[in-house]
Structure formats: structure tokens, C-alpha cells
Amino acid sequence: MTHPTAGGILAASDALRGPQQTFTREQVAYLMRLAYDSGRTAALLDDLAIMHAAFAAHTWRETNERRVARELAEMDRAARAAAARAGRPYRIHPGGPVDWETGAPIHLGAAA
């Protein structure tokens, strides 16, 4: 079993570009070994990349609960900053319909 070296690979590529048209049995075997090793290396690197991506997706993936909490916190910070810029107090909206003009909650039981 031969292990290709950088010098051997360069010599093989030079031989392929040179005027030589026929190759010895040893040269063909060596070039086939280079191609095989190159393919095995590419397959190994592909497998490693897939493994790393799967690990990163599993380990560092943000859960839906954390993502929603983060987005709500960002919206809360933005709402507090907007209230401060407008010079009005910040209050958490209780949910439900609001008056378009004032932004005040509409109490459905009081409207008749």
C-alpha cells in the first residue's frame, strides 16, 4: 500500500501534462491510487461536514419557546423605548381589541 506524497502528486500531474503518451503499469496504478485517495478524502470531509452540521443543529438550535421569549423581549424593549421617546408611560397591553385613535383597550362588556 502506497501513501501518496505532495512531491509524488506534483510529479504525476507534470507527467500527465508532458509529452509522454503512454504510462507504465506502475504509473497507472499510482494515478489510480491518487484518484482513489482523493475520492476517499472528499467523502471523509463530506461525512465530517454532515456530522458537524447535525451536531451544531442539535446542540445550538434554539427551541421555539426560547425564540418566542427572545422575540417578545425584543418587542417589549422596542415598546418601552417608543413610549420613552413619546414621553408617555409604558404599560403592558392586556390583549384584545383597542381603540384605533387612543390605543386604549376596548372593554366589550361595557360597549352596548
Side-chain angles (χ1 to χ4, degrees):
M1 182 166 143
T2 62
H3 294 287
T5 62
I9 293 170
L10 289 175
S13 66
D14 287 342
L16 288 174
R17 283 187 251 137
Q20 180 180 0
Q21 296 299 315
T22 57
F23 296 96
T24 65
R25 184 174 295 193
E26 291 79 20
Q27 289 173 321
V28 170
Y30 185 73
L31 292 173
M32 288 176 67
R33 178 66 187 196
L34 287 177
Y36 175 79
D37 286 345
S38 175
R40 292 287 297 157
T41 301
L44 173 68
L45 292 176
D46 187 48
D47 289 344
L48 284 174
I50 290 170
M51 182 183 67
H52 282 284
F55 178 77
H58 177 71
T59 304
W60 299 108
R61 191 164 138 186
E62 188 175 33
T63 64
N64 189 50
E65 184 177 277
R66 287 184 186 158
R67 181 187 57 80
V68 169
R70 179 181 48 79
E71 289 175 357
L72 287 173
E74 289 172 8
M75 287 188 282
D76 188 60
R77 279 192 296 274
R80 287 179 190 275
R85 282 192 306 270
R88 59 179 168 77
Y90 173 77
R91 60 183 192 272
I92 297 175
H93 187 276
V98 296
D99 182 77
W100 181 262
E101 299 295 325
T102 64
I106 298 173
H107 301 288
L108 297 177

